[in-house]
Amino acid sequence: MKKLICLILIIGCSNHETNNRKGFDTRNVILITLDGVRWEEVFSGADPNIINNKKLVSDIVKTNETYWDDNIDVRRKKLMPFVWSTIYHNGQIYGNKLKQSNMKLTNPYFFSYPGYNELLTGFNDDSVNSNNKKYNPNTNVLEFMNNQDGFKNKVAAFASWDVFDWIINNERNSFTINSGAYPLNNSSLSVKQKWMNSFIAELPYPGYERGVRWDVFTYEYAFEYLKLNKPRLLYIAFDETDEFAHDTKYDKYLYAIKRLDSYIENLWLWIQSQDYYKNKTTMIITTDHGRGKYLNDKWGSHGASVSNAQNVWAAIIGPDTPSKGEMVDSKTIYTSQIAATMAHLLGYDYKTNRKPGAIIKEMLSN
């Protein structure tokens, strides 16, 4: 009898933790950002105005062999094969201005901290107007979900840029936040995580002065955490694309995009192989800001003075998202709507210290 009662309690706790209050099949969400990746590359592949520029591309022949094709559809698939195969056929992709599918920022600054604040909190805050290491006063969707039933200690964030400790506010929040050159401080670590911890602070990163580690370490830390701890809301923020763009190394920027696409594919394939996650997980991929168009050998800039930098994009795949592929002639959506959409998919009405953007209904099956 005691064994039966224990079994009933275990089943009851399990159902309580995984049932979706809004009736969605989504039980888990993975949010991934690719810092400063332009909508132009996502939807058109390598830029014909840049790929043959000797000042921006170190090996023009190899870069063309790897990324170029006269057909835009082929070209973009060469750059992001997972996005333009699996997500294209089974999810939705927003932001192709050439096909009247616009996605924009609501903040007027068009650089990282304000962009990530908008994404994670659901609104622009004019006091968040620099990339300085200043603790974010606003409640974000990660901490909101961490305080909901079934999500305590099931939320985690991994980022290449160390300013995320301030953006997400690790002073106020106790869930796992790991970024930059900081070792992962967690009660249980995999062998690989312990190994990375032993040298993570000593590596000479190209963006070290800006607090950026190699994306591969962010990927490995996050993937190991996913396998070991099974979070229900996981955020992974990659950064090398922005670093290479600022350094005007277009070939390396393209390489970083393709490599990140492969990381995302690996994560998705693993998710779909696990009973805990398979057909119960929604993945959202987006960026924090756009950047300027090619002009007189200058490329890579963004900010308030760069008008094109407010244009962004997003891709989504999951059990509750209709398979519409590339969105065409769709109404404009905004980065500020992502937070509420994530919470809604997980069964909750997102609340923060200001009014957040509305859910993106087109991403939902009901």
Side-chain angles (χ1 to χ4, degrees):
M1 184 66 180
K2 289 181 179 179
K3 289 182 179 179
L4 178 60
I5 293 173
C6 288
L7 181 61
I8 292 171
L9 287 173
I10 291 171
I11 294 173
C13 289
S14 175
N15 287 337
H16 175 72
E17 181 176 288
T18 59
N19 279 346
N20 188 301
R21 297 184 175 194
K22 294 184 180 295
F24 291 118
D25 291 324
T26 296
R27 302 294 187 268
N28 321 284
V29 166
I30 297 178
L31 172 66
I32 299 173
T33 50
L34 316 184
D35 198 301
V37 171
R38 300 192 308 169
W39 69 270
E40 288 94 335
E41 276 78 27
V42 174
F43 293 98
S44 300
D47 192 323
N49 296 306
I50 306 177
I51 196 170
N52 294 308
N53 187 312
K54 293 180 180 179
K55 294 182 179 180
L56 303 176
V57 178
S58 60
D59 189 335
I60 290 176
V61 173
K62 182 179 179 181
T63 303
N64 273 267
E65 288 176 350
T66 306
Y67 303 107
W68 184 254
D69 193 278
D70 291 337
N71 185 305
I72 286 179
D73 291 343
V74 175
R75 197 161 71 232
R76 67 188 186 182
K77 194 171 183 179
K78 277 192 166 191
L79 183 63
M80 304 184 80
F82 175 73
V83 167
W84 290 109
S85 56
T86 302
I87 297 183
Y88 178 71
H89 291 296
N90 300 290
Q92 298 176 7
I93 310 169
Y94 292 79
N96 189 349
K97 286 173 60 62
L98 300 175
K99 296 183 179 180
Q100 291 73 52
S101 172
N102 295 312
M103 180 175 178
K104 297 179 180 292
L105 296 168
T106 62
N107 81 79
Y109 305 107
F110 313 159
F111 60 86
S112 291
Y113 197 147
Y116 289 121
N117 172 77
E118 178 180 339
L119 172 68
L120 297 175
T121 68
F123 57 85
N124 167 56
D125 181 350
D126 284 335
S127 72
V128 179
N129 55 20
S130 78
N131 282 338
N132 295 337
K133 292 179 177 179
K134 179 181 177 182
Y135 282 113
N136 196 334
N138 302 307
T139 302
N140 62 68
V141 68
L142 304 176
E143 61 185 301
F144 170 81
M145 289 306 307
N146 190 59
N147 290 320
Q148 308 309 314
D149 289 345
F151 285 87
K152 189 68 175 176
N153 299 319
K154 287 292 184 179
V155 176
F158 293 84
S160 296
W161 189 33
D162 67 359
V163 180
F164 271 95
D165 281 11
W166 284 263
I167 296 172
I168 300 174
N169 198 326
N170 67 356
E171 184 181 58
R172 189 175 66 228
N173 293 298
S174 59
F175 59 84
T176 296
I177 305 170
N178 173 256
S179 71
Y182 302 115
L184 176 58
N185 182 17
N186 210 51
S187 57
S188 59
L189 296 171
S190 71
V191 172
K192 184 178 286 188
Q193 287 170 333
K194 291 178 181 178
W195 174 69
M196 290 189 293
N197 273 356
S198 69
F199 59 77
I200 194 72
E202 300 174 7
L203 291 177
Y205 306 107
Y208 185 80
E209 69 279 2
R210 294 189 288 267
V212 177
R213 71 182 176 203
W214 293 109
D215 283 339
V216 66
F217 294 110
T218 299
Y219 166 69
E220 293 291 356
Y221 268 128
F223 204 170
E224 289 293 292
Y225 189 92
L226 181 67
K227 295 173 184 176
L228 184 66
N229 301 95
K230 292 184 171 55
R232 295 188 62 195
L233 176 54
L234 175 64
Y235 176 37
I236 309 174
F238 295 115
D239 193 86
E240 281 181 37
T241 45
D242 194 58
E243 296 299 310
F244 289 132
H246 280 300
D247 291 340
T248 60
K249 296 178 179 178
Y250 190 69
D251 48 348
K252 291 188 176 181
Y253 164 80
L254 295 177
Y255 170 73
I257 293 174
K258 187 167 185 176
R259 184 158 41 85
L260 293 178
D261 179 88
S262 72
Y263 291 168
I264 295 167
E265 179 180 26
N266 292 342
L267 288 165
W268 183 254
L269 291 176
W270 184 86
I271 286 166
Q272 292 300 93
S273 72
Q274 304 295 309
D275 289 340
Y276 186 84
Y277 287 110
K278 183 179 180 180
N279 299 326
K280 304 170 190 172
T281 303
T282 292
M283 178 182 282
I284 300 173
I285 308 151
T286 188
T287 188
D288 56 326
H289 58 75
R291 38 189 4 109
K293 296 181 179 179
Y294 168 79
L295 180 65
N296 298 327
D297 295 334
K298 293 181 180 179
W299 171 82
S301 298
H302 59 92
S305 62
V306 182
S307 61
N308 194 55
Q310 83 272 21
N311 298 310
V312 291
W313 56 274
I316 180 171
I317 184 171
D320 300 296
T321 296
S323 301
K324 296 181 179 179
E326 183 179 10
M327 304 301 286
V328 176
D329 295 321
S330 58
K331 73 176 185 179
T332 300
I333 63 170
Y334 298 91
T335 297
S336 60
Q337 297 179 262
I338 297 291
T341 303
M342 289 167 53
H344 189 75
L345 279 165
L346 290 168
Y348 288 86
D349 297 318
Y350 176 52
K351 293 180 175 60
T352 180
N353 51 297
R354 296 190 189 181
K355 184 178 180 180
I359 63 172
I360 303 171
K361 294 181 180 179
E362 293 79 6
M363 290 184 173
L364 312 174
S365 56
N366 58 359

